[in-house]
Amino acid sequence: MTTATAVEVDVRPAPATTPGVPGIVRRRLATLENWLDPHSWLATAVVTLIAGILRFQGLTSAKGYVFDEVYYPTDAWDMLQHGVEWDEKSNGPAYVVHPPLGKWLIALGEKIFGNNELGWRFTAAVAGTLMILVLIRIAYRMFHSVLLAGTAGMLMALDGFQLVLSRTSLLDIFVGLFVLFSFAAMVLDRDHYRRRLLRALEDGTKPRIVPWWLLASGALFGLACGVKWSALFFAPFFAALAWAWRVQARRSAGAPARFRPDDLIWGVLSVALSLLFYLATWTGWFVTSTGWFRHYREAKGLSEPPILGALLNLAHYHHEAYRFHSGLTSPHVYQSWPWQWMLLGRPVNFYWPGATGCGAPSCARQILLLGTPILWWSFLPALSALVWFGIARRDWRAWAILVPVAGGLLPWFYYAVKDGRTMFSFYALPALPFLILAVTYVLGAIMSAPPGSDRRALGIVAAGIYVAAVAVCFFYFQPIFIGQVITYEGWSHRMWLGSRWI
């Protein structure tokens, strides 16, 4: 078992009394066993409730469409009527370049509440709140600490970037949710694999492991891709992580750590499930005859056999959509580059309707896609510390955080340099939970000292001051996260980076 770098409780499995299984092997294969701990679930419930209140309160206060809501809620409403996106002007199918699942989720809210602000924002707020719940449970699993799990959830609850995307009907919040779900299933698969190895050692039998959670992770990953193709960036990083965890588990058990054929078999099955669930998100396109390119081959005089013809038409659709994405270089006033994102170099103005009634001669009302500054400006130092912990202490948790951060951010650097593609800061949303886990890890390291020692007390005080500072910063900026009417002077005081934020 790696050296602890966080506040932990004793969650090691049963005492090492089974003959033939050395205690060190048991410790190396140890997993979290008290996941039903009531204190952890109480913390989860409290933090999730706070997050939900922040995300649902005043959800409809911004009237009309906010930023790209002009696209996705209207597509979602059309999908309820026609099964596919629709162009009302031509009374025919619309050409869109994102898969359908995110819009179907928006449509679910519209089906319940109608084609209005509550209808098209409801499921985004649910997704944003669920992200925080899942993050808390992942943090509890990784750090074995109710305190750190609650801290991770609270940091995300108090992040303006995630808050704004939870309260507007864009697709990125759904990508972030399904990527996080997929990662959570991978962590559960790691535990399952190690428990079954230990059980086989105890029984003296050959381990027979069906990685149900790995398969579930593949299915959930397919759903993430069914919202936006950018989820694919995580694929090689998640695959490498899952394989490395298996090798590490076998090494801990004293078994050969080399590549095994069943690693490949189960990996291929997981990918197949990803593809199957991705295709399932296109059900509306498959079952209607009116979707864009639905009968492309027939229109070109080519054969269109059942099933295969539809798949070939969908492949052509994807080819054309990829060409669109690859050639998207049109300048935009709020575009930004990946190296600006964690520095908050260019936030996105979502809403500026003009305002009165603030008690001053000049008022302002804005929704600005901006991360809570103290939190976001701590990401780079936290990642630097995490690299050191990962190398010096060989802590699996450090790499479990760093690898998804790389998957969520590095590919955008490549496309920015290679193609100069138009990008926006909200593309970073799927990486956000892992950035927050990085900060949480470092806070745990700061507090990890022998109980009763001065260093531990100082660490707890420092971590508490940091979290309190994030909270104060969040509530200071909250008016421009939720579109509250404030004085123009108050608004200008919040523009810390001047013209870069305007």
Side-chain angles (χ1 to χ4, degrees), residues 34-118:
N34 64 339
W35 63 275
L36 286 175
D37 172 49
H39 296 97
S40 74
W41 282 104
L42 177 61
T44 302
V46 170
V47 175
T48 303
L49 177 62
I50 293 171
I53 291 172
L54 290 172
R55 278 143 187 79
F56 280 95
Q57 188 175 32
L59 187 61
T60 63
S61 60
K63 301 301 179 183
Y65 296 125
V66 171
F67 195 61
D68 277 357
E69 283 186 344
V70 69
Y71 302 114
Y72 307 122
T74 54
D75 283 343
W77 185 254
D78 287 338
M79 290 165 71
L80 285 176
Q81 318 305 316
H82 304 282
V84 293
E85 297 89 345
W86 202 254
D87 186 343
E88 299 295 341
K89 294 181 180 179
S90 65
N91 194 32
Y95 175 57
V96 295
V97 293
H98 290 304
L101 181 58
K103 287 162 282 186
W104 278 119
L105 292 172
I106 295 169
L108 176 62
E110 293 176 339
K111 180 70 173 179
I112 298 171
F113 299 106
N115 189 16
N116 52 50
E117 291 84 359
L118 178 60

Side-chain angles (χ1 to χ4, degrees), residues 253-492:
R258 62 179 180 271
F259 174 81
R260 291 177 49 167
D262 59 326
D263 292 338
L264 178 61
I265 292 170
W266 291 116
V268 169
L269 286 175
S270 182
V271 171
L273 276 175
S274 295
L275 179 60
L276 181 63
F277 274 70
Y278 174 76
L279 290 175
T281 68
W282 288 85
T283 298
W285 186 88
F286 280 117
V287 301
T288 63
S289 61
T290 53
W292 191 268
F293 287 140
R294 178 61 183 86
H295 292 291
Y296 168 78
R297 292 180 62 84
E298 180 182 287
K300 293 294 183 180
L302 302 172
S303 64
E304 193 175 290
I307 302 178
L308 178 60
L311 292 173
L312 291 173
N313 289 335
L314 186 61
H316 178 73
Y317 194 146
H318 281 59
H319 177 262
E320 293 301 309
Y322 179 77
R323 286 180 57 189
F324 171 85
H325 286 300
S326 300
L328 187 60
T329 57
S330 303
H332 192 286
V333 66
Y334 291 111
Q335 72 180 66
S336 58
W337 301 112
W339 46 86
Q340 296 177 290
W341 293 347
M342 283 188 284
L343 300 176
L344 302 178
R346 188 54 173 159
V348 183
N349 175 42
F350 270 29
Y351 189 66
W352 182 276
T356 58
C358 64
S362 183
C363 304
R365 187 183 184 196
Q366 183 181 33
I367 296 177
L368 184 67
L369 182 64
L370 175 73
T372 302
I374 290 179
L375 174 63
W376 278 65
W377 288 338
S378 65
F379 287 159
L380 284 176
L383 290 174
S384 300
L386 208 60
V387 170
W388 185 87
F389 283 122
I391 296 173
R393 301 189 178 187
R394 294 188 297 176
D395 190 338
W396 73 272
R397 297 170 298 182
W399 297 111
I401 297 168
L402 286 168
V403 169
V405 169
L409 295 178
L410 291 185
W412 292 114
F413 282 80
Y414 169 77
Y415 281 105
V417 174
K418 176 178 177 290
D419 300 325
R421 189 187 185 282
T422 307
M423 299 179 184
F424 299 90
S425 61
F426 49 80
Y427 294 175
L429 189 277
L432 177 62
F434 307 104
L435 293 168
I436 289 176
L437 284 174
V439 173
T440 306
Y441 184 108
V442 174
L443 292 176
I446 291 172
M447 294 186 287
S448 64
S453 66
D454 290 341
R455 190 164 71 86
R456 184 183 181 92
L458 287 174
I460 292 174
V461 170
I465 290 173
Y466 170 81
V467 175
V470 170
V472 170
C473 186
F474 169 80
F475 285 109
Y476 176 71
F477 281 93
Q478 189 182 24
I480 62 173
F481 295 152
I482 63 175
Q484 180 180 327
V485 177
I486 57 176
T487 65
Y488 188 86
E489 182 181 14
W491 170 83
S492 63

